[in-house]
Amino acid sequence: MQYDFTTVVSRRDTGSSKWDDMYAQNPHVPEGVIPLSVADMELKNPPQIARGVAEYLQGAVLGYTGPTRRFTDAIAGWQRRRNGWEIQPEWIVDYPGVVTAFFHLTKFLTQPGDGVILLTPVYYPFYEAVRNSGRTLAECPLLYRDGRYAIDFACLEEKARDPKNKLLLFCSPHNPVGRLWKREELERVGEICLRNGVRIISDEIHSDLVLERDRRHIPMASLSEELARITVTCGAPSKTFNLAGMVTSYLIIPNEETRRLVGEGRQREGVFYCNLAGYRALEIAYDQCEDWLEELLALLRSNREMMEKFLAEKIPQIRPVPLEATYLQWLDCSGLGMGEEELDHFMREEAYWFTDPGALFGRAAGQFQRVNLACPAAALQAALDRLLAARMRRGGGTPPAFGG
């Protein structure tokens, strides 16, 4: 590999939210343990970004700064190359974070009391965006059968047909269940929303992290002009290139009237600019770091396979849900026979696994854990070994082979 995907960088006492949370949960964590929770990577950034941002800052005046044509061109070029989607520069609206964006969009595009549809379990800020804005949650649980998830289209049709429900907050690829939605699934979701007058906010922040070699992400708004008119697409380089701290994202809004509503809403909320360095980091990432991404994807596929093989051989009571996209592995731990609190205690206190408990993502997901695979392979192997050792101390699991 050309890039360094093996070095583990300690983020202790650096302000890292996930590391601080790990030590808050268990101050006695052994040296060398890394958290496997929040969706940023335990990997070094592409070196081009650090060099390029440093060079930019040396000559920049650090005043109020907005996006330039370089910024919109970088996004348009990326969408064209990665997703085959031709977008116009004027469709792009910079925004300081995708979570901030869909919190605001929920308010900008609906009225108090309106219903917002979620396909659950789902990324937990989706719930907060609905509740904190005074909207009503319209939950449509995904179907979980034979270890795989699918959309319950009958439920979606029922929710969309209710005139109180005005918006679908859609996660594509889906976090946490790891689905890369197929074209026919997207088309059916879009057709239901079009027929019932439901707008779509499509969170596509994980769109670059496709692990299936023969597939690629399909933006919802790319399917038709009709869908483009009702869809706001949320994107960012933050998951792809580990840039969450830059707080720089973007919206793609083909509909001029929707852009006007978003612009007016921004003014009301006092949202004006992203991070000055974040604009430049995005440009460098999208224009210069595609080869780094390809090496990252190779690591993620390898880590996925490592986990699948290890659990199948050593702890078959834990079943990985097939991971098609994102670097967030959804684990079905119901076979361990533990209650939700016992499972969380086992993970944190016995295995030193600091993951995201499934209950964060939905009421019915208490027997699941979300595990971040974006870390060096050796760190993941060490975590799996700790999990097995903890399981064996409880009298379960398969002992490792001699010398293993």
Side-chain angles (χ1 to χ4, degrees):
M1 280 188 170
Q2 177 183 351
Y3 296 104
D4 180 3
F5 289 100
T6 60
T7 299
V8 177
V9 178
S10 174
R11 299 164 70 190
R12 187 169 190 171
D13 298 326
T14 65
S16 164
S17 60
K18 65 195 286 191
W19 282 67
D20 287 352
D21 186 58
M22 175 176 73
Y23 288 110
Q25 291 182 52
N26 187 338
H28 308 295
V29 174
E31 192 68 29
V33 171
I34 66 171
L36 301 171
S37 54
V38 176
D40 62 15
M41 303 184 202
E42 298 305 317
L43 296 167
K44 297 174 73 172
N45 293 99
Q48 301 95 314
I49 295 176
R51 288 195 303 265
V53 169
E55 291 171 5
Y56 169 68
L57 292 176
Q58 286 175 2
V61 174
L62 306 183
Y64 298 118
T65 303
T68 67
R69 184 59 185 261
R70 291 190 304 274
F71 179 82
T72 54
D73 283 350
I75 295 167
W78 188 258
Q79 289 292 337
R80 183 185 311 115
R81 293 193 306 277
R82 302 301 297 190
N83 300 324
W85 187 22
E86 293 288 343
I87 65 173
Q88 302 303 314
E90 62 267 23
W91 297 354
I92 298 169
V93 177
D94 62 311
Y95 226 87
V98 162
V99 171
T100 301
F102 60 69
F103 265 66
H104 287 170
L105 289 166
T106 300
K107 291 195 289 185
F108 299 165
L109 303 180
T110 63
Q111 299 298 318
D114 283 351
V116 180
I117 303 169
L118 304 184
L119 307 184
T120 59
V122 74
Y123 182 45
Y124 48 90
F126 277 31
Y127 299 97
E128 297 166 14
V130 177
R131 293 170 181 145
N132 290 352
S133 62
R135 277 51 174 177
T136 302
L137 175 62
E139 194 168 348
C140 186
L142 296 170
L143 300 172
Y144 183 56
R145 294 172 178 165
D146 301 321
R148 301 185 68 89
Y149 282 90
I151 296 170
D152 185 341
F153 288 105
C155 177
L156 180 58
E157 180 76 59
E158 177 188 350
K159 300 295 184 184
R161 199 165 46 237
D162 185 336
K164 296 192 300 293
N165 296 331
K166 305 293 188 183
L167 183 68
L168 169 65
L169 260 178
F170 189 60
C171 200
S172 179
H174 194 282
N175 171 14
V177 309
R179 278 298 317 276
L180 178 64
W181 304 117
K182 296 178 180 178
R183 177 177 291 273
E184 53 268 29
E185 292 173 304
L186 294 169
E187 289 174 339
R188 193 166 177 189
V189 169
E191 188 275 330
I192 290 171
C193 290
L194 281 167
R195 180 158 29 85
N196 291 283
V198 174
R199 292 180 188 260
I200 302 170
I201 298 172
S202 188
D203 175 10
E204 302 186 10
I205 196 170
H206 293 278
S207 62
D208 301 320
L209 301 164
V210 174
L211 303 188
E212 300 297 281
R213 296 179 186 276
D214 58 344
R215 298 176 62 191
R216 73 178 183 181
H217 171 74
I218 302 171
M220 174 66 81
S222 72
L223 292 173
S224 70
E225 291 185 10
E226 292 79 13
L227 273 172
R229 283 197 291 270
I230 68 166
T231 301
V232 175
T233 303
C234 303
S238 52
K239 303 304 178 192
T240 311
F241 297 103
N242 209 23
L243 299 175
M246 287 292 186
V247 198
T248 300
S249 65
Y250 54 88
L251 312 177
I252 301 174
I253 313 176
N255 186 305
E256 184 176 359
E257 174 62 13
T258 304
R259 289 200 304 276
R260 183 188 66 79
L261 291 173
V262 171
E264 292 174 353
R266 282 177 63 135
Q267 292 291 320
R268 290 195 303 273
E269 296 291 334
V271 175
F272 302 110
Y273 306 107
C274 297
N275 183 301
L276 172 147
Y279 290 123
R280 185 67 186 128
L282 178 147
E283 295 161 15
I284 296 166
Y286 283 172
D287 291 342
Q288 301 179 28
C289 299
E290 207 157 354
D291 58 341
W292 184 92
L293 172 58
E294 293 304 325
E295 291 193 13
L296 169 69
L297 292 172
L299 170 71
L300 297 178
R301 291 178 183 121
S302 177
N303 280 356
R304 175 186 62 177
E305 291 162 10
M306 177 199 301
M307 176 167 281
E308 290 173 343
K309 184 173 186 292
F310 187 96
L311 293 177
E313 294 179 357
K314 306 295 183 184
I315 318 177
Q317 299 85 356
I318 299 178
R319 294 178 297 168
V321 173
L323 180 60
E324 299 169 349
T326 83
Y327 50 69
L328 304 168
Q329 177 68 69
W330 191 235
L331 295 181
D332 182 347
C333 302
S334 59
L336 292 174
M338 300 179 189
E340 183 179 324
E341 291 186 6
E342 183 185 7
L343 176 62
D344 291 344
H345 181 276
F346 170 75
M347 290 294 182
R348 289 194 309 270
E349 305 295 332
E350 300 178 44
Y352 299 117
W353 263 46
F354 296 88
T355 58
D356 289 311
L360 278 175
F361 305 91
R363 293 168 297 178
Q367 293 294 313
F368 290 79
Q369 297 279 311
R370 193 189 74 168
V371 184
N372 187 333
L373 299 184
C375 63
L380 180 60
Q381 182 65 63
L384 290 167
D385 290 342
R386 289 197 309 275
L387 183 66
L388 176 59
R391 179 67 177 149
M392 290 179 65
R393 285 193 294 271
R394 284 188 169 225
T398 303
F402 179 76

